[in-house]
Amino acid sequence: MNVLIVHAHPEPQSFTAALRDQALRTLEAQGHQVQVSDLYAMQWNPVASAADFSSRENPDYLVYALEQRLGVKSQSIAADIRQELDKLLWADLLILNFPIFWFSTPAILKGWIDRVLVSGICYGGKRFYDQGGLSGKKALVSVTLGGREHMFGEGAIHGPLNDMLRPILRGTLAYVGFEVLEPFVAWHVPYISDQAREEFLVAYRHRLEQVADDLPIEFPRLSQFDEALYPLG
């Protein structure tokens, strides 16, 4: 299996980085091929703009998704996007590894998503959910956060964590066709003991050793809807 880990944390000694390293060790020990995109170390540019294209179909008005489609065909898309897109298409499993910032992803990871999930390849028209351009691949989100587990759930102060992760799990990964696995979550990590952190690392290793057998979260399938995308039945 080919695995791409996209890591987004500004501190190289962070526990999020320890999760990245655990994933790399575990997956390589199983014989998988692994590439890592460390966005902060790469100084990844998160800003989607006209500068992403060396030439444009419409130089007077930027429709970013349209220029993405044409830019890939004409090879006018920025080299850093093309490199990450090649990694993404190579991968059978994508792992997004990041801390929760303000109920969301770090901006640098959002910028990777904006620039690399290219229209015309990853999605477009009715190529979404199970018909998305990345169908047949799997995706796993591994996150760290400062909150305690009891703060997340039905009736909890912050609500269910998967509601918070909905834009990434459903609106991004499932939308482009990934089979999305249940997230791996390390709770309260800035405040727990080294032993507790080690327990999270061990749990993550066990999870990754069985990742090929993980069942994905259920999301809509286009066969459940008519041509106008009204639900059938």
Side-chain angles (χ1 to χ4, degrees):
M1 182 165 63
N2 296 333
V3 183
L4 173 61
I5 302 172
V6 179
H7 170 71
H9 197 292
E11 173 49 60
Q13 300 179 81
S14 67
F15 185 73
T16 306
L19 288 174
R20 174 204 60 202
D21 294 344
Q22 179 70 287
L24 182 61
R25 286 193 303 269
T26 302
L27 292 165
E28 287 187 335
Q30 292 178 284
H32 302 304
Q33 301 298 311
V34 185
Q35 295 190 67
V36 177
S37 291
D38 184 335
L39 300 184
Y40 283 95
M42 295 161 57
Q43 297 185 319
W44 173 260
N45 171 20
V47 180
S49 73
D52 288 341
F53 313 100
S54 59
S55 63
R56 298 241 307 270
E57 176 75 10
N58 184 347
D60 299 318
Y61 189 93
L62 178 64
V63 180
Y64 192 81
L66 176 59
E67 296 295 346
Q68 280 186 319
R69 271 178 254 165
L70 299 171
V72 169
K73 290 180 181 178
S74 66
Q75 299 185 354
S76 63
I77 202 163
D80 60 341
I81 296 174
R82 181 73 254 184
Q83 289 168 2
E84 292 301 296
L85 180 60
D86 287 345
K87 294 179 194 175
L88 182 63
L89 297 177
W90 165 86
D92 303 303
L93 170 65
L94 170 68
I95 298 177
L96 300 182
N97 187 61
F98 61 93
I100 297 290
F101 284 1
W102 292 107
F103 281 32
S104 187
T105 65
I108 199 168
L109 177 57
K110 180 57 165 64
W112 185 91
I113 290 165
D114 290 346
R115 298 180 70 222
V116 176
L117 298 187
V118 171
S119 177
I121 293 181
C122 300
Y123 71 98
K126 287 188 178 179
R127 296 175 67 221
F128 53 86
Y129 291 121
D130 61 306
Q131 300 300 313
L134 302 181
S135 61
K137 300 176 181 289
K138 295 184 178 182
L140 171 65
V141 166
S142 59
V143 298
T144 58
L145 68 171
R148 298 176 186 269
E149 188 170 2
H150 73 267
M151 297 176 180
F152 298 84
E154 294 294 341
I157 185 69
H158 297 314
L161 180 63
N162 274 12
D163 285 358
M164 187 183 301
L165 295 176
R166 187 174 187 270
I168 187 75
L169 298 179
R170 180 169 182 163
T172 302
L173 297 172
Y175 186 85
V176 296
F178 281 109
E179 294 181 11
V180 183
L181 308 179
E182 286 287 346
F184 180 85
V185 184
W187 308 94
H188 204 46
V189 293
Y191 313 106
I192 59 178
S193 66
D194 289 343
Q195 179 180 345
R197 293 189 187 98
E198 183 62 29
E199 289 170 359
F200 276 127
L201 291 174
V202 170
Y204 193 37
R205 174 169 59 82
H206 290 328
R207 173 74 187 279
L208 291 171
E209 288 172 345
Q210 306 298 324
V211 73
D213 299 322
D214 266 11
L215 296 177
I217 302 169
E218 289 191 14
F219 288 109
R221 303 180 65 84
L222 289 196
S223 60
Q224 298 169 319
F225 299 83
D226 66 17
E227 283 299 309
L229 298 179
Y230 286 101
L232 295 173

